[in-house]
């Protein structure tokens, strides 16, 4: 059996490591692996060489993502065993699997309870269908367009899967950003991503209390913000930055609702990733300001924003990009050709 049980760089809870270790070193490990493979892929693999090419970690994670609750796992495993020629023998293997994996699911239960409180709020959001679509795509790597299927998927379970895939907020934010950029409607789904982040952020705050803040969060925008507040209307500055980052603000109720999801600092950080130089940044602002209602008002804001960032634009941008690349390296290989219809 292959000894690698976790991916390079992975940090797993000790309880999960213990579960994987028990399965790997069980005397029936080969049969356990065959049954788990059959459970995940719905096909029987008798070639031990191919089985050895799989890490136990990836196999267990595949099981947990396919069957988010222990009840679902038990039910499906029982059914799958019943289809085998040696069902009596594999029923015993199934019991070994269930007795060991039950602890992993028990650990997840606390997270699920916490996630359910956030899910209640999201379920009441007018964008719940898109929220679930993005969560499914982010967690399970496929696009679900069937509204009946989407309605049946538990938001709480999706949030639980999301927090398993991205253990920290510093992992989640760039991860979502990377995924949103692969979609046909990145502007709309950037807003959906912000709704999700807004709801799960308090939970991550509790999980990571006392931890070192992300490099992106250490970017000092105090002087920039002070300059903006001193010389222009901060709300209008937000409208202009929002237009530069997402879509041209049209002053409709939905636009105002979307704008509330963003802080001035957040929009400034995101705007730093849009273009490479301060001159390009200025041209972007001019272009977007000219498309807004009362363009002359927003054109007056352009030099204020440009001046406030000019001396530190390159440094701030490089610091932010380094942080984003470091946090999102696991998602960088997501197929850019994947363009699901929305």
């Amino acid at each position: 059996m292959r000894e690698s049980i976790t991916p390079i760089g992975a940090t797993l809870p000790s309880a999960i490591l213990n579960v994987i270790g028990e399965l790997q070193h069980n005397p029936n490990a080969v049969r356990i692996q065959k049954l788990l493979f059959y459970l995940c892929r719905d096909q029987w693999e008798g070639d031990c060489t191919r089985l050895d090419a799989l890490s136990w970690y990836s196999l267990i994670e595949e099981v947990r993502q396919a069957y988010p609750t222990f009840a679902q796992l038990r039910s499906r495993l029982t059914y799958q065993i019943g289809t085998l020629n040696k069902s009596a023998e594999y029923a015993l293997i199934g019991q070994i699997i269930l007795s060991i994996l039950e602890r992993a699911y028990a650990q997840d239960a606390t997270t699920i309870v916490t996630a359910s409180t956030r899910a209640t709020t999201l379920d009441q959001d007018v964008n719940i269908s898109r929220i679930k679509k993005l969560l499914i795509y982010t967690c399970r790597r496929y696009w679900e367009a069937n509204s009946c299927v989407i309605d049946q998927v538990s938001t709480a379970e999706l949030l639980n899967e999301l927090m398993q895939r991205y253990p920290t907020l510093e992992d989640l934010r760039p991860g979502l950003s990377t995924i949103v950029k692969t979609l046909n409607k990145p502007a709309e789904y950037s807003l959906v991503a912000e709704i999700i982040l807004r709801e799960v952020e308090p939970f991550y705050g509790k999980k990571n209390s006392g931890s070192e803040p992300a490099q992106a969060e250490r970017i000092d925008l105090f002087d920039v913000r002070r300059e903006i507040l001193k010389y222009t209307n901060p709300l209008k500055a937000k409208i202009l930055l929002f237009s530069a980052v997402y879509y041209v603000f049209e002053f409709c109720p939905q636009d105002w609702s979307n704008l509330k999801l963003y802080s001035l600092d957040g929009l400034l950080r995101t705007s730093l990733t849009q273009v490479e130089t301060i001159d390009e940044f200025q041209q972007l602002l001019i272009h977007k300001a000219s498309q807004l209602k009362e363009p002359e008002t927003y054109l007056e804001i352009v030099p204020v924003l440009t001046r406030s960032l000019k001396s530190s634009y390159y440094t701030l941008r490089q610091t932010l990009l380094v942080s984003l690349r470091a946090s999102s390296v696991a998602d960088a290989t997501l197929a850019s050709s994947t363009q699901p219809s929305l």
Side-chain angles (χ1 to χ4, degrees):
M1 280 295 157
R2 188 174 177 173
E3 287 299 316
S4 176
I5 63 174
T6 61
I8 295 174
T11 302
L12 301 177
S14 58
I16 303 301
L17 286 173
N18 291 338
V19 163
I20 296 174
E22 282 190 50
L23 290 172
Q24 181 184 21
H25 298 296
N26 190 281
N28 296 288
V30 174
R31 286 187 168 183
I32 289 173
Q33 204 171 23
K34 287 180 179 180
L35 187 53
L36 288 175
F37 188 93
Y38 185 48
L39 180 68
C40 296
R41 314 285 178 87
D42 202 26
Q43 66 183 59
W44 190 258
E45 182 56 74
D47 188 335
C48 291
T49 302
R50 292 181 181 177
L51 290 172
D52 283 345
L54 295 172
S55 75
W56 281 91
Y57 169 80
S58 63
L59 196 55
I60 296 305
E61 282 302 292
E62 196 170 339
V63 169
R64 295 170 76 196
Q65 289 183 29
Y67 308 100
T69 70
F70 188 68
Q72 290 174 332
L73 172 64
R74 184 195 295 117
S75 175
R76 186 61 184 179
L77 186 59
T78 301
Y79 171 80
Q80 293 288 83
I81 290 172
T83 66
L84 299 175
N85 292 330
K86 299 180 180 180
S87 57
E89 294 179 27
Y90 275 94
L92 297 175
I93 303 300
Q95 288 303 313
I96 295 172
I97 292 173
L98 290 173
S99 65
I100 295 175
L101 285 185
E102 186 173 15
R103 294 196 298 278
Y105 279 87
Q107 184 189 52
D108 290 341
T110 301
T111 304
I112 292 173
V113 169
T114 306
S116 66
T117 60
R118 300 294 169 189
T120 300
T121 304
L122 289 177
D123 282 331
Q124 296 171 351
D125 195 287
V126 294
N127 296 294
I128 184 57
S129 178
R130 284 187 167 183
I131 289 170
K132 283 188 173 183
K133 285 180 181 180
L134 183 56
L135 285 172
I136 291 171
Y137 188 50
T138 302
C139 298
R140 304 178 184 180
R141 294 301 195 260
Y142 68 86
W143 191 259
E144 182 58 71
N146 188 320
S147 59
C148 293
V149 174
I150 292 170
D151 289 342
Q152 292 174 4
V153 177
S154 165
T155 309
E157 289 181 3
L158 288 173
L159 289 179
N160 179 50
E161 292 176 34
L162 184 74
M163 290 183 281
Q164 286 181 13
R165 182 174 284 275
Y166 299 99
T168 70
L169 192 64
E170 289 74 29
D171 296 325
L172 176 60
R173 187 177 294 278
L176 276 177
S177 177
T178 300
I179 287 170
V180 164
K181 289 176 182 177
T182 70
L183 303 178
N184 286 332
K185 299 179 180 178
E188 289 86 340
Y189 277 93
S190 290
L191 299 175
V192 173
E194 285 296 328
I195 294 172
I196 294 171
L197 286 166
R198 179 191 63 196
E199 288 305 317
V200 301
E201 187 170 8
F203 176 66
Y204 276 104
K206 293 177 183 178
K207 282 180 67 179
N208 303 318
S209 58
S211 62
E212 185 73 10
Q215 183 70 19
E217 296 304 316
R218 291 199 295 270
I219 291 178
D220 186 6
L221 293 173
F222 176 79
D223 291 336
V224 175
R225 185 172 59 252
R226 181 178 61 182
E227 185 87 358
I228 293 170
L229 295 177
K230 184 176 180 180
Y231 293 105
T232 193
N233 183 312
L235 177 59
K236 290 182 178 179
K238 282 183 64 177
I239 290 172
L240 179 54
L241 288 168
F242 180 95
S243 300
V245 171
Y246 297 109
Y247 62 85
V248 176
F249 199 83
E250 296 182 351
F251 302 89
C252 65
Q254 184 61 55
D255 286 357
W256 287 112
S257 178
N258 290 338
L259 187 65
K260 289 179 182 178
L261 298 173
Y262 300 89
S263 66
L264 179 59
D265 279 18
L267 288 169
L268 282 168
R269 287 191 180 94
T270 306
S271 68
L272 287 167
T273 68
Q274 302 302 298
V275 290
E276 293 185 4
T277 68
I278 190 65
D279 291 335
E280 291 175 322
F281 178 69
Q282 183 178 32
Q283 291 303 312
L284 174 64
L285 293 182
I286 292 172
H287 175 65
K288 295 299 181 179
S290 65
Q291 295 179 302
L292 289 166
K293 294 178 181 178
E294 301 180 1
E296 62 281 355
T297 299
Y298 293 93
L299 286 169
E300 291 176 359
I301 299 174
V302 172
V304 176
L305 292 175
T306 304
R307 185 173 62 249
S308 68
L309 285 167
K310 186 173 183 178
S311 63
S312 56
Y313 187 87
Y314 178 78
T315 302
L316 292 174
R317 175 179 161 79
Q318 291 303 114
T319 303
L320 182 60
L321 290 179
V322 167
S323 174
L324 292 178
R325 281 196 294 268
S327 299
S328 61
V329 65
D331 287 297
T333 57
L334 187 67
S336 58
S337 59
T338 302
Q339 294 289 329
S341 56
L342 311 181

